[in-house]
Amino acid sequence: MKFISWNVNGLRAVMKKNFMDIFEEFDADFFCLQETKLQEGQIEMPLTGYHQYWNYAEKKGYSGTAIFTKHQPQNVTYGIGITEHDQEGRVITLEYPQAFVVTCYTPNSQNELKRLDYRMDWEDAFLAYLNTLNTKKPVILCGDLNVAHQEIDLKNPKTNQKNAGFTPQEREKFTVLLENGYIDTYRTLHPEQTGAYSWWSYRFNARKNNAGWRIDYFVISQALQPYLKEANLYPQLLGSDHCPVELVLDLDITT
């Protein structure tokens, strides 16, 4: 089964570029979006053969997630069940016989780390949510997790030590996530690959110079590792400041 995740940084904007071409070319079983930046009724998505699930932020033009899938789930959950964390449309969970599929847009710690404390609370609550799912069946988590885990995951680690997305606190939370029984699929299959990024600043010709960060992930329960076939990044696909990322599992989670 093929899974795609993409932070589109405004779906209406990328629809005017090349979204449908990319969507159709991938022909994925699951196509997950983050940062859709819209409200219900603001867009029509004629996706033949796909079920659509949307989680909108209460604040207009902000955050938001979506999942388009060929496979109707047994259950759909929006958010993680905590009011404080469920106002920004950041999580959708689809349940299938063999696994949960979760898309997540993790809160950014922002300039001067003014939201770092909230981010730490979020991380603890979200991990607890994932672990509850994982006691029932394996989890396939994807999305913009807003952290470059290791120095290999960004171009300029030394100058970003105190910047949002590469603080010791955020990196440690990702380490704890993995220690709880999950694997970073891309780094598992490409342990030494440098220059592999999924986000680039719009400033300083960052994308042209590949001065990027790998902050978009597929993280899966260790129980699914035997079925891990591919994990890829597609930096050549434009339209957003992020690129699509891909997971291929040698497993049909719907049966």
Side-chain angles (χ1 to χ4, degrees):
M1 301 194 86
K2 182 191 291 186
F3 303 77
I4 298 294
S5 178
W6 193 10
N7 179 323
V8 291
N9 191 15
L11 181 56
R12 285 172 293 179
V14 80
M15 278 291 287
K16 296 175 183 177
K17 299 174 183 176
N18 55 350
F19 178 83
M20 288 307 304
D21 291 338
I22 292 173
F23 179 84
E24 292 170 3
E25 181 68 23
F26 274 124
D27 190 28
D29 292 279
F30 296 85
F31 204 109
C32 303
L33 304 182
Q34 303 86 44
E35 211 169 357
T36 52
K37 291 185 175 179
L38 48 78
Q39 305 300 121
E40 186 173 8
Q42 288 189 310
I43 196 169
E44 290 291 330
M45 299 290 288
L47 306 177
T48 303
Y50 283 82
H51 305 276
Q52 302 184 25
Y53 303 96
W54 300 80
N55 195 1
Y56 307 100
E58 293 181 8
K59 180 180 176 181
K60 291 184 178 180
Y62 180 74
S63 189
T65 48
I67 301 179
F68 310 139
T69 176
K70 296 179 180 179
H71 311 281
Q72 187 169 3
Q74 296 171 304
N75 293 294
V76 183
T77 304
Y78 300 96
I80 62 175
I82 300 174
T83 301
E84 177 189 7
H85 298 309
D86 288 346
Q87 299 174 4
E88 297 179 350
R90 293 185 177 276
V91 178
I92 303 173
T93 303
L94 307 186
E95 181 180 0
Y96 293 91
Q98 300 294 328
F100 292 98
V101 177
V102 182
T103 194
C104 176
Y105 177 39
T106 299
N108 191 301
S109 296
Q110 299 186 350
N111 292 337
E112 299 179 356
L113 305 179
K114 60 187 177 183
R115 217 179 184 200
L116 181 60
D117 288 345
Y118 172 74
R119 166 72 176 265
M120 295 297 100
D121 291 342
W122 162 277
E123 293 280 1
D124 293 341
F126 185 63
L127 178 57
Y129 173 75
L130 291 181
N131 284 343
T132 299
L133 298 180
N134 200 33
T135 61
K136 302 172 185 176
K137 61 187 77 173
V139 173
I140 300 164
L141 165 66
C142 71
D144 175 2
L145 303 187
N146 259 318
V147 60
H149 183 215
Q150 301 169 320
E151 290 194 354
I152 195 176
D153 293 319
L154 72 167
K155 181 66 176 288
N156 297 305
K158 288 184 171 53
T159 56
N160 282 292
Q161 299 280 349
K162 297 182 180 180
N163 288 339
F166 198 60
T167 62
Q169 298 96 315
E170 291 163 310
R171 297 170 65 193
E172 175 62 21
K173 291 296 185 184
F174 194 89
T175 297
V176 170
L177 168 66
L178 301 184
E179 289 173 346
N180 269 259
Y182 306 91
I183 64 170
D184 174 352
T185 58
Y186 185 85
R187 197 51 74 196
T188 297
L189 294 181
H190 310 279
E192 306 298 331
Q193 181 64 54
T194 60
Y197 309 128
S198 66
W199 173 79
W200 303 261
S201 169
Y202 281 129
R203 298 184 296 170
F204 311 122
N205 290 316
R207 195 155 191 170
K208 180 180 178 181
N209 298 324
N210 198 29
W213 300 48
R214 188 174 71 92
I215 61 175
D216 300 88
Y217 294 85
F218 274 96
V219 171
I220 62 175
S221 299
Q222 289 177 353
L224 295 175
Q225 187 164 353
Y227 307 102
L228 176 56
K229 189 175 180 182
E230 295 181 35
N232 300 304
L233 310 174
Y234 290 92
Q236 74 277 17
L237 297 180
L238 308 178
S240 168
D241 51 348
H242 296 250
C243 75
V245 299
E246 178 183 46
L247 169 70
V248 180
L249 292 179
D250 190 15
L251 174 70
D252 184 350
I253 67 169
T254 68
T255 58

